[in-house]
Amino acid sequence: MGTANDSSKDISVRLAEKKPKVVFVLGGPGSGKGTQCEKIVQDFGYTHLSAGDLLRAEKNSGSENGIMIQNMMNEGKIVPSEVTIKLLQKAMLESGNDKFLIDGFPRNEENRAAFEAVTKIEPEFVLYFNCSEKEMERRILNRNQGREDDNIETIRKRFKVFLESSLPVIEYYKGKGKVREIDAAKPVEEVFEEVKGIFNPPEVRKVVGGRGWGRGCCAIL
Ligand SMILES: Nc1ncnc2c1ncn2[C@@H]1O[C@H](COP(=O)(O)OP(=O)(O)O)[C@@H](O)[C@H]1O
Ligand SMILES: Nc1ccn([C@@H]2O[C@H](COP(=O)(O)OP(=O)(O)O)[C@@H](O)[C@H]2O)c(=O)n1
Ligand SMILES: [Mg+2]
């Protein structure tokens, strides 16, 4: 008979078999992660998984964790990894794709270490949207998505958590040479120009009419 442990191991094994390609998309609240991910999906064929969106859907589904998730979000706190990782793994398996933008995760050391231990997936790179707090605050207060956590009191708490818990994760990946940092304070299209340069590396774009390139090459040139 399968126990909870067996089933979580099972999902990790099935996911590992897909050998998924993962890009972590990080940045402060309101830095434009979701906005840019939607554009990357259109041009580069990734599936966008927002940890925040998955947690909100889980909360709204009336699951046993719903109240806990709501309380954590309203305080700007990070939900225990166990919950978020299960949601991410399920969404990855169900997507049918093998390329993922994981937006808003890992948000602290516990998220990072647990994801690595459970999934054994190492990100290809980390896209980091760097933006001033002043600009992020302005954007969130204008976001109008009806999010309960988009109020000034919770925003301040989220900024604190970002500085204290999420920036160290970005530093960790900087140490591994994996961070691609973007100036996210610019207008959406200008930010996306920079983003495209990362997904279409310049060395590849230079190869015009290169021999031996497969179908993918035509989209790049
Ligand atoms: N480069 C930008 N310049 C101005 N506004 C932006 C920019 N990128 C996103 N926005 C707006 O700012 C708000 C927050 O963006 P969002 O993508 O939800 O950020 P995040 O997912 O990082 O919290 C949204 O209302 C979005 O339309
Ligand atoms: N890895 C994550 C991501 C989000 N969250 C929670 O979800 C909230 C909203 O995350 P989000 O990514 O949707 O927020 P934005 O950065 O898009 O503004 C966070 O403030 C946390 O409370 C979490 O607990 N763990
Ligand atoms: Mg978002």
Side-chain angles (χ1 to χ4, degrees):
M1 287 297 287
T3 63
N5 263 349
D6 287 340
S7 77
S8 71
K9 185 176 172 194
D10 188 44
I11 197 169
S12 299
V13 170
R14 280 187 290 144
L15 190 55
E17 281 166 1
K18 283 175 65 148
K19 299 205 185 318
K21 184 172 168 178
V22 163
V23 174
F24 288 145
V25 181
L26 302 178
S31 58
K33 301 180 294 295
T35 303
Q36 295 296 324
C37 281
E38 282 181 25
K39 298 175 81 65
I40 299 166
V41 164
Q42 284 168 14
D43 280 21
F44 299 99
Y46 281 77
T47 293
H48 172 209
L49 300 177
S50 155
D53 286 351
L54 289 168
L55 288 166
R56 277 183 284 276
E58 179 71 0
K59 179 195 79 178
N60 292 334
S61 75
S63 89
E64 54 176 348
N65 287 319
I67 303 283
M68 180 274 289
I69 293 172
Q70 174 154 21
N71 289 339
M72 299 295 273
M73 280 186 157
N74 286 346
E75 286 301 310
K77 291 184 180 160
I78 311 299
V79 172
S81 305
E82 195 200 351
V83 174
T84 317
I85 290 172
K86 274 195 190 126
L87 294 172
L88 286 168
Q89 287 184 305
K90 188 163 170 280
M92 286 167 92
L93 266 182
E94 285 173 355
S95 78
N97 200 350
D98 60 357
K99 289 164 70 178
F100 301 95
L101 300 169
I102 301 195
D103 156 7
F105 183 98
R107 244 177 165 105
N108 62 10
E109 174 58 20
E110 193 226 359
N111 274 183
R112 186 201 65 72
F115 185 84
E116 204 175 292
V118 171
T119 69
K120 313 272 188 268
I121 296 171
E122 175 78 8
E124 302 287 310
F125 59 88
V126 174
L127 198 55
Y128 167 39
F129 291 109
N130 192 357
C131 193
S132 69
E133 267 193 21
K134 194 164 168 253
E135 174 63 11
M136 294 194 288
E137 185 180 301
R138 191 190 66 76
R139 290 180 188 176
I140 297 175
L141 291 174
N142 286 311
R143 178 148 59 181
N144 284 330
Q145 287 177 355
R147 276 176 53 173
E148 271 181 53
D149 57 346
D150 281 354
N151 63 79
I152 192 65
E153 200 188 327
T154 309
I155 290 169
R156 298 257 153 88
K157 290 180 180 165
R158 287 155 68 196
F159 285 157
K160 190 163 184 282
V161 168
F162 175 70
L163 289 178
E164 289 175 358
S165 304
S166 309
L167 269 181
V169 174
I170 294 164
E171 288 302 322
Y172 170 87
Y173 284 115
K174 268 191 189 160
K176 298 185 110 192
K178 291 215 160 187
V179 174
R180 311 286 179 269
E181 186 167 332
I182 304 274
D183 175 3
K186 295 187 288 189
V188 172
E189 289 307 324
E190 286 180 35
V191 175
F192 190 53
E193 280 306 309
E194 247 191 83
V195 167
K196 279 197 282 194
I198 286 164
F199 284 86
N200 268 343
E203 323 69 278
V204 177
R205 272 183 289 158
K206 266 188 233 150
V207 185
V208 177
R211 275 163 288 159
W213 288 84
R215 277 163 46 211
C217 141
C218 303
I220 295 164
L221 298 175

